[in-house]
Amino acid sequence: MSQGVSAAFDLLIGRIEALTSKTDSSQSFVCVDAGRGQELLTDRRVNTLRLFELRITTPPHDDGQAGITGRKRLTAEVRVRYDVPRDTGLLERIMGEDASQIINALRNPAYDLATTGITSLITGEPSSAPVLGQDGNPMAILLAIPFDLLYQEAF
């Protein structure tokens, strides 16, 4: 039994990488810096549409369930990088479709409690922000989807 953060993130990363975009199916989701000892920073990879990373924004803490249960809660974020194209309207549509698909993938209730320990996942409101180049101009946009992950930690 490998319940915990690593097993939960592996499941969620696999779900996102398995998604196919409705508008641009030629470029899939690729997880970078997935916590497996390899490094690929999203701001150093150009001309790739859907690089994403899964980051913990609030470390695991006790969920408050009565007794010693091992149930934890953490806050994390999926961040997807999109290069800035000439057609920003198309990018906005792609980001909207992708956000919806990612939320559905995260909230899919088939979490496999025995393996991952996930008991629940609550998504927050997506947001986007520009990534500025050295010249101060936007070179990419980051779509961020926050979520709270409730999971059992194997003892």
Side-chain angles (χ1 to χ4, degrees):
M1 181 158 55
S2 62
Q3 293 178 336
V5 175
S6 184
F9 274 29
D10 286 348
L11 174 81
L12 299 175
I13 288 168
R15 284 183 178 184
I16 296 169
E17 288 183 330
L19 295 175
T20 302
S21 172
K22 294 178 181 181
T23 302
D24 181 13
S25 61
S26 66
Q27 295 197 36
S28 59
F29 291 90
V30 177
C31 186
V32 295
D33 202 13
R36 296 185 183 110
Q38 299 173 343
E39 182 179 350
L40 178 62
L41 301 176
T42 56
D43 61 349
R44 295 190 188 161
R45 239 342 247 249
V46 296
N47 301 322
T48 303
L49 187 59
R50 290 183 177 86
L51 293 176
F52 77 94
E53 57 190 6
L54 203 56
R55 289 284 183 245
I56 296 173
T57 57
T58 304
H61 55 279
D62 184 68
D63 183 45
Q65 188 177 25
I68 301 175
T69 63
R71 193 166 85 179
K72 302 283 193 286
R73 175 187 293 258
L74 66 80
T75 303
E77 193 172 68
V78 175
R79 290 183 237 166
V80 185
R81 181 189 188 277
Y82 299 88
D83 284 343
V84 175
R86 292 177 190 240
D87 185 350
T88 55
L90 176 62
L91 177 62
E92 289 170 355
R93 290 180 186 182
I94 289 172
M95 287 174 55
E97 290 174 348
D98 288 354
S100 180
Q101 282 191 307
I102 291 168
I103 289 168
N104 290 342
L106 293 173
R107 294 188 46 83
N108 179 339
Y111 294 125
D112 190 10
L113 175 65
T115 303
T116 66
I118 298 175
T119 58
S120 182
L121 190 147
I122 305 155
T123 55
E125 183 177 348
S127 63
S128 62
V131 176
L132 302 178
Q134 292 179 340
D135 61 0
N137 292 320
M139 61 182 238
I141 296 177
L142 281 182
L143 170 67
I145 303 171
F147 63 91
D148 286 336
L149 178 68
L150 284 73
Y151 66 96
Q152 296 283 354
E153 186 74 60
F155 289 107

